[in-house]
Amino acid sequence: MLNKIISGGKLEKKVIEDIKTHIKILCSATECFKSTITTANVEATFCVADFEREADSIRRRIISTIHEGAFLPFIRPNICKFIEMVDEAFDVLEDAAFEFRYINMELYKIIESECVKIASINTNICELLSIAFDSLITKGDLKEKNLAIRIYEKQVDDLKFDITEKLRKVEIKNFWDGKIISDFVEYLTKISDLIEDASDYLYVIEISLR
């Protein structure tokens, strides 16, 4: 797959290693966020912003290297789109962390178990994305990894439905409490969707190389 067109290409190899690092930082960010909401440690949410800043520097380097001439023109747009999807997952994770700092803890406790499960799935699905990217390079079974990611994403959808059903039964008297917890759930559940989109672009890249 990708190893067919990066053999001997210094720029291509540099991009591949940076992409691997970019994904691993996202995995670390999802892991730290899972720990944060499991312990309900609001102050610990700033770890996400720290990881996001580190990842943003790498993202800029990846794009710059591609513009320098890495990869053939026909594959560049899909690689860039893949990077954009991963970057958007960072943004949404940071949004979730921000909302958690202001969340009504009494309301959060009602849906805590589901949220922790989703955060754990987000970590697992990110690890799968990292494995899927490696599979693209080494001719592994990318289709199998994409299917596993879709299964995880479906689990998140089911948990989101359970959260919605719980919150519908709760009387929320303060507008901002309601908005913050609604936005938090929306951001938390969107991460897996973005990672699924990113994995789809890996499949598009694979097909383009056949």
Side-chain angles (χ1 to χ4, degrees), residues 28-116:
S28 296
T30 58
E31 182 65 42
C32 88
F33 185 69
K34 180 183 74 172
S35 176
T36 293
I37 69 169
T38 300
T39 59
N41 184 352
V42 174
E43 290 302 315
T45 57
F46 290 100
C47 69
V48 175
D50 292 338
F51 280 120
E52 197 278 334
R53 281 192 293 272
E54 182 182 357
D56 193 52
S57 175
I58 293 173
R59 178 190 62 80
R60 290 195 299 269
R61 190 166 69 203
I62 291 170
I63 300 302
S64 176
T65 307
I66 290 175
H67 286 327
E68 286 177 32
F71 298 108
L72 296 173
F74 77 92
I75 197 176
R76 290 174 193 162
N78 286 328
I79 292 178
C80 288
K81 193 63 180 178
F82 172 77
I83 297 303
E84 287 176 16
M85 290 293 100
V86 175
D87 186 59
E88 190 173 349
F90 269 112
D91 292 340
V92 172
L93 183 62
E94 190 171 12
D95 287 338
F98 177 83
E99 296 298 339
F100 191 74
R101 290 173 210 146
Y102 301 95
I103 206 165
N104 182 315
M105 281 299 168
E106 289 185 9
L107 290 176
Y108 173 67
K109 290 297 179 182
I110 297 172
I111 58 173
E112 181 179 16
S113 62
E114 289 84 0
C115 290
V116 170

Side-chain angles (χ1 to χ4, degrees), residues 8-209:
K10 291 183 180 180
L11 291 179
E12 286 80 3
K13 288 179 179 178
K14 182 180 177 182
V15 169
I16 293 301
E17 290 307 310
D18 279 344
I19 291 176
K20 288 181 179 180
T21 302
H22 196 231
I23 298 172
K24 289 187 182 302
I25 294 173
L26 177 61
C27 293
S28 296
T30 58
E31 182 65 42
C32 88
F33 185 69
K34 180 183 74 172
S35 176
T36 293
I37 69 169
T38 300
T39 59
N41 184 352
V42 174
E43 290 302 315
T45 57
F46 290 100
C47 69
V48 175
D50 292 338
F51 280 120
E52 197 278 334
R53 281 192 293 272
E54 182 182 357
D56 193 52
S57 175
I58 293 173
R59 178 190 62 80
R60 290 195 299 269
R61 190 166 69 203
I62 291 170
I63 300 302
S64 176
T65 307
I66 290 175
H67 286 327
E68 286 177 32
F71 298 108
L72 296 173
F74 77 92
I75 197 176
R76 290 174 193 162
N78 286 328
I79 292 178
C80 288
K81 193 63 180 178
F82 172 77
I83 297 303
E84 287 176 16
M85 290 293 100
V86 175
D87 186 59
E88 190 173 349
F90 269 112
D91 292 340
V92 172
L93 183 62
E94 190 171 12
D95 287 338
F98 177 83
E99 296 298 339
F100 191 74
R101 290 173 210 146
Y102 301 95
I103 206 165
N104 182 315
M105 281 299 168
E106 289 185 9
L107 290 176
Y108 173 67
K109 290 297 179 182
I110 297 172
I111 58 173
E112 181 179 16
S113 62
E114 289 84 0
C115 290
V116 170
K117 286 178 184 177
I118 292 171
S120 181
I121 290 173
N122 286 341
T123 298
N124 292 336
I125 204 172
C126 186
E127 293 291 344
L128 265 176
L129 183 67
S130 179
I131 295 170
F133 185 75
D134 286 340
S135 294
L136 177 68
I137 299 168
T138 60
K139 298 183 181 179
D141 190 347
L142 183 58
K143 187 175 181 181
E144 181 183 277
K145 311 303 185 302
N146 282 349
L147 177 60
I149 288 173
R150 289 182 184 279
I151 291 172
Y152 272 131
E153 208 282 323
K154 177 63 168 59
Q155 291 175 2
V156 171
D157 285 344
D158 292 341
L159 287 165
K160 183 179 181 181
F161 177 81
D162 293 340
I163 289 173
T164 301
E165 289 301 298
K166 279 189 174 183
L167 290 179
R168 279 177 178 168
K169 298 174 184 177
V170 178
E171 183 182 3
I172 299 177
K173 298 179 180 179
N174 182 290
F175 168 81
W176 288 110
D177 285 345
K179 185 177 189 311
I180 289 169
I181 199 162
S182 175
D183 288 347
F184 171 74
V185 170
E186 186 63 30
Y187 293 138
L188 180 65
T189 55
K190 188 178 179 182
I191 296 165
S192 61
D193 189 43
L194 289 168
I195 293 177
E196 182 185 11
D197 288 344
S199 73
D200 287 342
Y201 273 97
L202 291 183
Y203 189 64
V204 170
I205 293 170
E206 181 188 49
I207 292 175
S208 70
L209 293 172

